[in-house]
Amino acid sequence: MSSANPPSHTAKLDRILADAKRDKEMGYRDKALKMYPHVCGRCAREFSGKRLSELTVHHRDHNHDNNPQDGSNWELLCLFCHDNEHSRYTDQQYFGDSSLSSPKVAKATHNPFAALAGMLKKDE
């Protein structure tokens, strides 16, 4: 087998997978655009014509394989709000209380003002 065959098979497989993914995304995107008004669910901007491509389908549970036919896991968000939502989700995953990555800081137990009342009474 020549070394030129594997890359062509790989390229063909990559193209097939990319086409399948695009078709799947277009399927639920088309459904979402028919179900919901063309308005961003966060900033409430309206989209039409060429700008409709700036409206994306966001998966509420962040699972892109969860595509119920009733659209209950989808919301339409503009590119900016969609990016912001995913950034917030990533930050929450990374910095959240249950995250192993977040630094654990001991809570302060010392009260520097505990004896303040007594000290003020001495001066009277």
Side-chain angles (χ1 to χ4, degrees):
M1 184 179 273
S2 73
S3 63
N5 285 341
S8 66
H9 290 304
T10 303
K12 183 177 180 180
L13 181 59
D14 288 345
R15 190 179 73 246
I16 290 169
L17 291 173
D19 290 346
K21 182 178 178 184
R22 186 187 67 245
D23 291 345
K24 178 182 173 185
E25 289 173 354
M26 290 305 292
Y28 68 73
R29 184 175 193 281
D30 288 340
K31 287 178 186 175
L33 287 172
K34 289 177 185 173
M35 294 174 128
Y36 298 113
H38 300 166
V39 175
C40 176
R42 299 291 159 82
C43 68
R45 286 191 306 164
E46 295 182 19
F47 294 84
S48 62
K50 291 181 181 181
R51 293 198 53 222
L52 193 58
S53 65
E54 297 175 20
L55 200 57
T56 63
V57 177
H58 172 65
H59 290 80
R60 295 174 194 258
D61 68 357
H62 296 271
N63 178 357
H64 290 231
D65 293 325
N66 183 9
N67 294 303
Q69 294 303 307
D70 65 354
S72 59
N73 190 37
W74 304 329
E75 65 181 328
L76 295 178
L77 298 179
C78 71
L79 293 171
F80 303 107
C81 291
H82 197 185
D83 187 44
N84 179 264
E85 177 63 26
H86 280 275
S87 295
R88 287 181 32 211
Y89 180 75
T90 302
D91 288 349
Q92 187 272 330
Q93 293 294 315
Y94 187 74
F95 295 113
D97 288 339
S98 62
S99 171
L100 297 175
S101 308
S102 59
K104 303 298 181 207
V105 178
K107 295 187 179 186
T109 57
H110 173 71
N111 183 353
F113 302 107
L116 183 61
M119 293 168 68
L120 289 173
K121 286 183 182 178
K122 283 184 183 178
D123 291 338
E124 290 179 358

